[in-house]
Each structure stands twice: as structure tokens, then as C-alpha cells.
Amino acid sequence: MSLFNKELETLSVEKLRQLQSERLREKVNILYHKVPFYKKLFDIHNIEPGSIKSVRDLYKIPFTKKDALRDNYPFDLFTLPRNQLARLHCSSGTTGKPIVVGYTKNDIEIFSEVVARSLAAAGCKPGMLLQNAYGYGLFTGGIGLHYGAEKLGMTVLPISGGGTEKQLMLMQDFQSDVICCTPSYALTLAEEIKKKKIDLSKLNLKYAVLGAEPWTESIRAQVEAGLGVIATNIYGLSEIIGPGVSQEDFEEKGSGSYIWEDHFYPEIVDKNTGEPLPYGEQGVLVFTTLTKEAMPLLRYWTNDIASIYYDKSVKRTHIKMSPIAGRADDMLIIRGVNLFHTQVEAALEHITELSANYQLVVTNDGTMDEVEVRVEVEASLYEQLSKESNEVLSHDKMVFALNHLKKKIKDDIGLSMKIVITIPGAIPRSEGGKLNRISDLRK
Ligand code: DLL
């Protein structure tokens, strides 16, 4: 079973559009009458709520951006009084005050449903033990995965992020079937397993459900080998619901993640003009929530860069999205070239001498921006070479790897970067949550 809700996950595209449009009309009506921000938005732009008849009319509505959440802090975007809500979550913003999101009981039911679908698509089955290493608290990851796993009928170990020793002890003692955490924390776990020489046959892990930050095939390969799992991508954001907006199917790995379209209507738009882009083109992901009650959002500008497309001969009718290349506001512009750190990560994929532990350091000496890629030598190679000599980092193999990476980056990205190969352990690790891979020293 990898379809949790076969009926809705395989609804014909025509029926899906009908359902989406019906739901949209209802949400537009509620938002116009209950949320002053949306009434004002419609009135200022002369949009008659009744003129939004189907998802094809969405383009008439301006985007809702993060500022709207900040300006309406804490509760002014809610359609209901706070005392009728069942739960609040927050996501940390760049400024002092967090972004606040609210859920009714029914919203939590929807949240659990989309996470249950996601876990099923990831390979999880009722009865499996899920070690939930996403953070519990204001972050939507921990509790979001927890409720979805319970809904699917799994046993949940709510261990939260961090405490690597304990994670590994319980993983062995309880024979966890599934781990969910950030991809960078999965790397930390894989690395500790290797360091402690824990035999993979002592573990029972089968699947890893990774998300909350961008990651690429290079990390997938290391996590899958290091933990002995099939690793899939789970995507989401607090404003839309939390994790479970989209999910990769474990049998269609690498071809993108299904967006649960009956709840979240996706668009891709040009990041400069906001114009809708055709399927397959990369731009900003925009979502309209079709079912959420407490805080529905119309055309929410996620700032995440991806593409959406229909994949042929697949299990579901829902549209897929590519992995997130990065957030528009995290994109570096280096000597006129747009750069996401995931592009450097992708270049690392085939260079077996190097690990997936890397960091980009951006500097400016007053004339030009420079990017330095700091990346660790692969740990077992380091061990092997250090038996031969103390000068591992000047070994021929390292010089070859360095030149290989430099050339790959130049060819694929079009930028010359300085490459520094370090010993294992020199680059910061995830201690349980999201990892920042960029150190921008220009500011
Ligand atoms: O990170 C929700 C989540 C929890 C998703 C657990 C998956 C797993 P926020 O803290 O609000 O919510 O951060 C949302 O994280 O806009 C993306 O930039 C990034 N993000 C989330 N999932 C992925 C992913 C959670 N799979 C922001 N790939 C989003 C890339 C992701 N980026």
C-alpha cells in the first residue's frame, strides 16, 4: 500500500479541477467576509469575490506575501476568534516576531491526512515504528509528522531532534523501521553510525522521510548508504499547513514530489514579474489553501524556487514538483550569476573522494565577491590515506578531487570558486534541525 487515500489521490484531473474550484469559491467567500486583510485586498483591486469562479480565475488575485503575516501579527488573519482554534504554531522569521499560524480541529484532521498520505507514499505501513526526530514544539515538523503517523496506524517514538547517542541506542533497541528528520541530521546520524562501527544489520531501518531544508541526490546517496534506507523528500511550510504539502513516492524516487492538490493548489510564477510560468519552468512556488479553516491563504508566495509538472505513468493523478532549488531570498548573486548552494551540492555528487559535508563562505575584498567551497574529504578515504602518510590533504587523490570539483562547478554553474578540502569533522553538522550551509561574510 502506498496510497493512503486512493479515491482522492487518483481522482481524474477534471474532477480534481471541479473540486478545487468549488473549494476555492467557498474560501474566497469566507475570507472576504471574515478577514479584513482580504476584504481590503479585494476592494482595492476591484475584485468581486463572485468573479472568482474557478482556479483559472486565481490570477486576478494579488499574491499574499510573508509581510501580510507580519502586519497581521498575531491573530488578524484568522477567520475565527482565537478561542475557537485548537492549536497555534510559529515559524521563526528573520525579524524578532515569529510568523503565527492557527488550526481548527478540522485543520488538524487535514494536516494528519496529508501527512498520512505522505508517509504512505514514502513506504511506511501501519504497524511500523517511526522514530520522529523532527523538533517538537512551535515548529510544525515534530507534531505534524506525529499526528500523520498515528493516523496511518504507525507506532510513533516522539524523540524530537538531537541527542544523537540516544537516537542510535533506541533505533537499535526498538528496531525502528522509519526515521524522519532533516537531511542534514540524517547525515549526522549516518556519520555517527559509521564512527561507532554500528553494524547496519543491527538496525531495522527501511525508510527515511527527509525535509524542512533543500537537499540533493548527493545527500540521498550518502544517507541511503549510511542508514540502509530508501530516503524520500517531504516538503511543506507552516503558512500552508506544515510538512505534507508534497511528498515523493518511494517507488518513483528522483522524479519529484506529489502535491496534495485537493488541499493545496500550486502555481509557479516568475520571481520578478509574478507572471504564471508554464509546467516544467522554474520559478516561485505559490499555493492557495483550499480546505484549511482557521487561516486559509490565497496565492501565498512561498519564496521557494521549483517547477511543477505532470509525470506520465505514475500512481497518482496529482501534479508533481521538483526538489526545491532554494529560497529566492537565499539566492546568492555572485559576479552577476545566480547561485543556490544546492547547485554546489549537486556538483559534489559524483566526486567520491569528497563527502556531502560542505559549506559556502562568501567574501568580498572590496572589489569582487568570492565564494569558497569548504568540503570534507570522505571519512574512510581519509583514514586509509592517513595510514600511508600525514600529508593526506596534499595527496594526489585530493589534488585530483579538488580540480575535478573546481572544473565541475565552473562547467555546470559558470563560476570559478576557491575549493578548500578539509579533514573530516571540520564543517558544522546539524545537531537535530535545519543546517545553514552558507556563511556570508559580506554583510
Ligand atoms: O520546515 C515544515 C516541514 C517540516 C517540512 C518537516 C518538511 C519536514 P517551516 O519551518 O515553516 O516549515 O519552513 C518552511 O522550509 O518554505 C522551504 O524553504 C523549506 N523546506 C521545507 N521542506 C523542504 C524540502 C517546515 N523538502 C520552509 N526541501 C519552506 C527544501 C524545504 N526545502
Side-chain angles (χ1 to χ4, degrees):
M1 177 184 104
S2 72
L3 273 66
F4 178 74
N5 190 332
K6 190 158 188 239
E7 189 193 338
L8 285 166
E9 291 176 48
T10 59
L11 205 61
S12 74
V13 173
E14 194 191 351
K15 287 216 172 104
L16 200 50
R17 289 290 170 270
Q18 267 173 21
L19 181 67
Q20 289 169 328
S21 298
E22 248 168 56
R23 291 178 165 178
L24 174 67
R25 288 194 294 272
E26 190 195 328
K27 287 301 153 203
V28 165
N29 190 36
I30 290 173
L31 284 169
Y32 185 77
H33 292 102
K34 303 276 185 198
V35 180
F37 166 80
Y38 277 109
K39 178 168 179 10
K40 203 165 146 197
L41 187 80
F42 275 60
D43 289 349
I44 288 176
H45 291 88
N46 275 324
I47 306 164
E48 186 45 52
S51 72
I52 309 298
K53 293 194 168 59
S54 85
V55 287
R56 278 191 295 275
D57 297 317
L58 269 173
Y59 74 94
K60 298 178 189 167
I61 307 173
F63 300 110
T64 300
K65 294 197 171 173
K66 210 171 206 149
D67 284 353
L69 280 92
R70 294 213 177 91
D71 297 345
N72 290 283
Y73 178 86
F75 304 148
D76 287 354
L77 284 181
F78 295 167
T79 58
L80 294 156
R82 201 276 308 138
N83 63 8
Q84 292 182 34
L85 266 49
R87 194 196 294 168
L88 303 173
H89 275 289
C90 297
S91 100
S92 47
T94 40
T95 55
K97 302 275 189 193
I99 296 296
V100 184
V101 296
Y103 305 77
T104 61
K105 279 216 163 75
N106 195 46
D107 291 340
I108 290 173
E109 195 39 51
I110 295 166
F111 194 2
S112 308
E113 153 89 21
V114 293
V115 173
R117 277 188 206 178
S118 300
L119 288 171
C124 303
K125 291 191 177 61
M128 284 184 172
L129 176 58
L130 177 125
Q131 184 159 336
N132 188 8
Y134 283 117
Y136 280 68
L138 293 177
F139 177 53
T140 51
I143 299 179
L145 264 292
H146 186 114
Y147 275 59
E150 283 189 352
K151 183 155 181 91
L152 179 59
M154 303 178 80
T155 310
V156 187
L157 179 66
I159 189 163
S160 197
T164 305
E165 291 263 326
K166 196 166 188 176
Q167 298 273 0
L168 296 181
M169 179 177 80
L170 299 188
M171 192 180 276
Q172 293 174 82
D173 294 351
F174 296 179
Q175 293 285 286
S176 308
D177 298 280
V178 183
I179 177 85
C180 54
C181 58
T182 59
S184 55
Y185 191 56
L187 274 183
T188 302
L189 291 172
E191 197 170 51
E192 280 303 306
I193 286 175
K194 202 164 180 183
K195 251 195 227 157
K196 292 195 157 58
K197 300 200 164 54
I198 298 174
D199 192 342
L200 277 188
S201 68
K202 293 225 167 67
L203 302 181
N204 188 37
L205 282 183
K206 298 172 189 72
Y207 302 107
V209 191
L210 312 179
E213 63 187 5
W215 59 299
T216 64
E217 293 299 326
S218 120
I219 293 206
R220 172 149 34 212
Q222 299 210 19
V223 170
E224 291 193 334
L227 296 177
V229 292
I230 296 180
T232 54
N233 186 31
I234 183 163
Y235 165 83
L237 62 163
S238 320
E239 298 92 308
I240 298 305
I241 202 150
V245 172
S246 77
Q247 167 72 42
E248 198 175 20
D249 186 287
F250 76 112
E251 290 172 325
E252 296 168 17
K253 228 174 48 176
S255 68
S257 301
Y258 287 105
I259 297 172
W260 305 125
E261 267 195 275
D262 48 332
H263 296 287
F264 318 111
Y265 184 80
E267 295 171 81
I268 293 286
V269 302
D270 184 287
K271 77 176 187 340
N272 300 312
T273 65
E275 285 303 309
L277 292 174
Y279 292 150
E281 275 190 39
Q282 201 178 59
V284 175
L285 250 180
V286 168
F287 284 107
T288 296
T289 66
L290 300 168
T291 47
K292 230 172 39 161
E293 293 176 339
M295 205 184 96
L297 293 175
L298 300 176
R299 304 195 87 203
Y300 185 70
W301 182 279
T302 64
N303 235 347
D304 290 326
I305 303 290
S307 62
I308 58 175
Y309 46 85
Y310 282 101
D311 202 4
K312 293 270 175 306
S313 34
V314 286
K315 292 181 200 163
R316 301 171 181 82
T317 47
H318 295 215
I319 202 164
K320 283 186 174 179
M321 62 182 253
S322 69
I324 302 289
R327 296 181 58 79
D329 48 5
D330 285 345
M331 189 182 75
L332 297 165
I333 302 177
I334 306 295
R335 306 193 288 277
V337 177
N338 298 346
L339 175 70
F340 288 115
H341 69 78
T342 49
Q343 290 172 277
V344 174
E345 192 174 301
L348 277 168
E349 193 186 338
H350 300 291
I351 307 182
T352 51
E353 295 87 355
L354 303 177
S355 78
N357 293 306
Y358 71 97
Q359 193 184 29
L360 305 188
V361 181
V362 191
T363 50
N364 187 307
D365 62 1
T367 51
M368 240 193 345
D369 290 336
E370 294 289 353
V371 183
E372 182 177 295
V373 183
R374 294 186 186 162
V375 54
E376 289 175 11
V377 48
E378 199 276 315
S380 47
L381 175 65
Y382 181 77
E383 220 171 276
Q384 185 200 324
L385 295 181
S386 38
K387 280 189 193 131
E388 295 166 18
S389 120
N390 291 327
E391 306 286 314
V392 176
L393 296 181
S394 53
H395 191 282
D396 284 354
K397 272 204 166 132
M398 292 300 102
V399 177
F400 173 78
L402 187 146
N403 287 330
H404 188 178
L405 181 60
K406 203 173 173 59
K407 179 167 186 320
K408 186 110 187 66
I409 288 175
K410 178 81 187 142
D411 290 350
D412 294 357
I413 308 173
L415 279 170
S416 296
M417 295 184 194
K418 183 175 171 202
I419 316 287
V420 176
I421 297 183
T422 73
I423 60 168
I427 307 290
R429 300 291 193 272
S430 162
E431 288 168 9
K434 306 190 191 215
L435 179 66
N436 185 8
R437 298 232 179 235
I438 302 172
S439 164
D440 193 340
L441 305 177
R442 291 173 303 177
K443 288 164 196 159

